[in-house]
Amino acid sequence: FASYYGNHMVLQKEPAGAVVWGYGEPGATVAVVLSRDGGLIVMKKTAQVKGPSGTWTTVLDPMDQGGPYVLTAGQGSENVTLRDIYFGDVWLCSGQSNMVMTVLQITNASRELADAARYPYVRVFAAAPTRSDVELEDLEQIDLPWSIPTPENLGHGNFTYFSAVCWLLGRYLYEALRYPVGLVEAAWGGTPIEAWSSRRVLWACGLPEDARRAPLFVRTKPGSLEPQLQAWPCVLHSLKPSFVFSISPHWPLSGPQTPSVLWNAMIHPLLNMTLRGVAWYQGEANAFLHTDLYNCTFPALIADWRWAFHAGSAGQTEPLLPFGFVQLSTYRRQSPDDSFARLRWHQTADLGVVPNARMPGTFMAVAMDLCDERSPYGSIHPRDKQNVAHRLQLGARAVAYGEKDLVFQGPYPTRAVLEVTRGLLNLTYSQELVCRQRDTRAFEVCCSSQPSQCRWLPAPMVAVGSRTVTLALAGCRTLVVALRYAWAEWPCEYQSCALYNTWGLPAPPFL
């Protein structure tokens, strides 16, 4: 088997079939047998070992949730047996250090670690942080083989394994679904999105020059690409950035920040897996690198990962693989830099909310109100990961699992009416509002006849209704051309932004 198969793993349940693959003698036939723990055979499959790679692959018949099962792969007299296998939903968790933070590092860590024993059917696996200049077929190293959660492997150390956001998301999903959940962590702190991107993504977004020579895509076998995959060039065209940038042909980064090296070593080896969804927490590094290309690189990465996992799993991972992400939290209070605000906006492909036309099948956890200035790991690493995971799982349940009438995102403005004579701007929101903070700087207007020379002035809230907000524009003596909300690196205090809905979800920032 590939290096990341093992006892205690979770394989993807129906309606998809789990993909099983491994190594053997070229030309040999491998027999794969799935049986009940007591020995009753449930399924038999055979696969030919291909040369010269020496690999074999088979797709199991779709299985209902549950277990335990025993999985055996045999070639001649040689057999490998894996035990305590369950079928459920498999989620991949990736990103940088806020995804890497362990349960040991978060709020109420002792209680969270003690609770681990209550969730033996949420299984965890962590790839080791490794990089490669070429696409690898198998993981070179693993930090945590498939395991039943314990205080030791959930709190192994600072920024090692296992991911707190990933664990809490899986645990909350298990509490809602009541069947096994498998969690695969592949994350590395301090890494930009370019390192997690294939050359296809870099090419699509104009980064870097040498990526332009990469092929647009590679067909694995005739007929294996579904309509979304066949439309991939069209998807690329739609993802071109909406501004024109001057991009240096030189790439100054090295190590794990180098373009594509983490895609090559930590994502590409996983492509045969059948997945139910992806959770992503990344972006801090790109607040300082190619910030204004993120409205291209992020949607392109999502589309590319979907294409690659669908093709790699022989079509078992669905083409519109659900993809959830965490919008950036905070870093420096009083910082005049707006790169965090711009990155948050670009995380939504400049549309403010998801899912949207450029990012279908996605969901977002707003985190700008979960700031933590006293975090011992630096304010860029807030310890409240419970609210992050709670908001993520709401989105997962609504978008990935189709729960109807589940509110999973905060209120967003749907209409703006300017009362010129009274100097007021009336906003109508999509949901009932709760005003927690009459912040005079929460809203700002651009007062200029030249949008490229915006002079942003506060627009204080003078009234908040059930679904309306009225802003005063006394400082605007010229044309009002733009409006923004929570546009700052540190836009509000802990759970005290200006606007929430009645379910306690914050209104996302917008421009």
Side-chain angles (χ1 to χ4, degrees), residues 418-425 443-450 453-460 471-484:
L418 183 62
E419 292 187 53
V420 179
T421 54
R422 299 177 62 196
L424 299 176
L425 182 62
F443 290 92
E444 297 171 289
V445 288
C446 172
C447 302
S448 173
S449 58
Q450 298 292 328
Q453 301 171 357
C454 256
R455 179 167 164 255
W456 290 98
L457 294 175
L471 307 176
L473 305 177
C476 251
R477 296 177 181 174
T478 56
L479 185 65
V480 179
V481 296
L483 170 71
R484 66 188 188 185

Side-chain angles (χ1 to χ4, degrees), residues 161-174:
Y161 57 85
F162 186 77
S163 164
V165 168
C166 192
W167 162 250
L168 291 168
L169 171 62
R171 200 187 84 185
Y172 296 160
L173 286 177
Y174 173 79

Side-chain angles (χ1 to χ4, degrees), residues 159-508:
F159 300 106
T160 52
Y161 57 85
F162 186 77
S163 164
V165 168
C166 192
W167 162 250
L168 291 168
L169 171 62
R171 200 187 84 185
Y172 296 160
L173 286 177
Y174 173 79
E175 289 169 348
L177 302 170
R178 308 311 298 181
Y179 59 72
V181 176
L183 302 172
V184 177
E185 177 190 345
W188 194 333
T191 53
I193 194 170
E194 291 82 1
W196 297 99
S197 302
S198 74
R199 282 177 166 266
R200 292 179 296 269
V201 173
L202 302 175
W203 182 91
C205 297
L207 284 169
E209 283 300 311
D210 61 354
R212 292 175 184 267
R213 293 195 292 271
L216 186 60
F217 60 84
V218 179
R219 287 186 182 273
T220 51
K221 52 188 174 181
S224 65
L225 302 183
E226 295 297 324
Q228 182 200 6
L229 314 184
Q230 295 166 352
W232 178 231
C234 301
V235 173
L236 290 184
H237 179 76
S238 71
L239 293 171
K240 290 293 184 183
S242 52
F243 304 101
V244 176
F245 302 95
S246 174
I247 300 169
S248 169
H250 303 292
W251 198 278
L253 301 175
S254 60
Q257 289 82 28
T258 305
S260 299
V261 294
L262 305 186
W263 157 266
N264 291 340
M266 299 178 70
I267 302 300
H268 191 269
L270 304 177
L271 294 183
N272 287 349
M273 297 186 77
T274 309
L275 296 181
R276 186 65 183 86
V278 176
W280 174 261
Y281 196 160
Q282 190 278 336
E284 297 89 347
N286 287 98
F288 309 101
L289 174 73
H290 299 141
T291 304
D292 292 314
L293 278 179
Y294 208 87
N295 62 359
C296 179
T297 51
F298 189 37
L301 176 138
I302 294 171
D304 187 61
W305 282 26
R306 285 171 168 166
W307 174 83
F309 275 100
H310 181 80
S313 65
Q316 297 305 303
T317 296
E318 62 181 277
L320 198 65
L321 176 66
F323 198 108
F325 64 95
V326 183
Q327 196 177 46
L328 286 194
S329 184
T330 53
Y331 181 24
R332 301 165 296 194
R333 187 196 293 272
Q334 308 300 333
S335 172
D337 191 349
D338 74 341
S339 61
F340 263 59
R342 287 174 12 239
L343 200 288
R344 291 187 193 110
W345 182 240
H346 295 331
Q347 284 181 294
T348 68
D350 300 352
L351 292 171
V353 289
V354 297
N356 60 47
R358 294 187 68 205
M359 298 172 64
T362 61
F363 53 94
M364 173 177 73
V366 175
M368 65 181 180
D369 66 328
L370 302 179
C371 43
D372 187 358
E373 196 169 24
R374 297 181 180 176
S375 170
Y377 316 106
S379 59
I380 204 168
H381 298 120
R383 289 165 289 180
D384 181 357
K385 294 297 191 275
Q386 288 87 346
N387 267 307
V388 169
H390 170 70
R391 293 170 184 179
L392 268 181
Q393 65 91 25
L394 288 177
R397 287 166 55 193
V399 174
Y401 295 96
E403 282 196 37
K404 304 298 182 185
D405 303 320
L406 178 67
V407 176
F408 65 99
Q409 53 192 346
Y412 200 73
T414 58
R415 188 166 178 256
V417 177
L418 183 62
E419 292 187 53
V420 179
T421 54
R422 299 177 62 196
L424 299 176
L425 182 62
N426 297 304
L427 300 179
T428 301
Y429 272 81
S430 59
Q431 299 170 358
E432 189 172 341
L433 298 171
V434 174
C435 181
R436 292 189 184 177
Q437 183 75 264
R438 285 288 183 97
D439 185 351
T440 58
R441 298 196 66 88
F443 290 92
E444 297 171 289
V445 288
C446 172
C447 302
S448 173
S449 58
Q450 298 292 328
S452 61
Q453 301 171 357
C454 256
R455 179 167 164 255
W456 290 98
L457 294 175
M461 293 183 288
V462 295
V464 179
S466 173
R467 291 185 177 227
T468 60
V469 176
T470 301
L471 307 176
L473 305 177
C476 251
R477 296 177 181 174
T478 56
L479 185 65
V480 179
V481 296
L483 170 71
R484 66 188 188 185
Y485 169 74
W487 201 265
E489 194 165 298
W490 192 291
C492 50
E493 294 309 306
Y494 183 71
Q495 293 192 326
S496 295
C497 285
L499 299 174
Y500 290 77
N501 63 17
T502 54
W503 290 269
L505 297 175

Side-chain angles (χ1 to χ4, degrees), residues 16-262:
V19 179
V20 178
W21 77 103
Y23 299 95
E25 205 58 47
T29 299
V30 175
V32 179
V33 178
L34 182 72
S35 58
R36 286 282 183 183
D37 208 20
L40 177 66
I41 293 177
V42 176
M43 186 190 316
K44 287 184 178 180
K45 296 283 182 178
T46 59
Q48 292 295 123
V49 181
K50 301 173 185 176
S53 64
T55 60
W56 57 268
T57 304
T58 190
V59 180
L60 302 182
D61 298 336
M63 292 288 296
D64 198 2
Q65 65 201 44
Y69 293 92
V70 175
L71 187 62
T72 300
Q75 173 193 295
S77 60
E78 295 182 49
N79 288 285
V80 176
T81 300
L82 307 178
R83 302 184 183 280
D84 194 36
I85 309 301
Y86 280 78
F87 286 86
D89 281 346
V90 182
W91 282 78
L92 170 63
C93 302
S94 188
Q96 58 180 115
S97 55
N98 270 302
M99 181 62 85
V100 180
M101 280 182 75
T102 66
V103 180
L104 181 70
Q105 298 176 268
I106 66 174
T107 304
N108 296 324
S110 298
R111 188 181 70 194
E112 298 289 1
L113 290 171
D115 282 347
R118 296 172 47 210
Y119 300 93
Y121 302 112
V122 181
R123 306 291 173 85
V124 292
F125 173 94
T130 53
R131 63 183 189 269
S132 172
D133 292 331
V134 296
E135 293 180 340
L136 301 181
E137 298 305 315
D138 200 358
L139 294 173
E140 289 189 333
Q141 301 176 54
I142 59 173
D143 270 345
L144 181 67
W146 278 109
S147 303
I148 296 171
T150 66
E152 290 72 32
N153 58 34
L154 292 182
H156 180 264
N158 292 346
F159 300 106
T160 52
Y161 57 85
F162 186 77
S163 164
V165 168
C166 192
W167 162 250
L168 291 168
L169 171 62
R171 200 187 84 185
Y172 296 160
L173 286 177
Y174 173 79
E175 289 169 348
L177 302 170
R178 308 311 298 181
Y179 59 72
V181 176
L183 302 172
V184 177
E185 177 190 345
W188 194 333
T191 53
I193 194 170
E194 291 82 1
W196 297 99
S197 302
S198 74
R199 282 177 166 266
R200 292 179 296 269
V201 173
L202 302 175
W203 182 91
C205 297
L207 284 169
E209 283 300 311
D210 61 354
R212 292 175 184 267
R213 293 195 292 271
L216 186 60
F217 60 84
V218 179
R219 287 186 182 273
T220 51
K221 52 188 174 181
S224 65
L225 302 183
E226 295 297 324
Q228 182 200 6
L229 314 184
Q230 295 166 352
W232 178 231
C234 301
V235 173
L236 290 184
H237 179 76
S238 71
L239 293 171
K240 290 293 184 183
S242 52
F243 304 101
V244 176
F245 302 95
S246 174
I247 300 169
S248 169
H250 303 292
W251 198 278
L253 301 175
S254 60
Q257 289 82 28
T258 305
S260 299
V261 294
L262 305 186

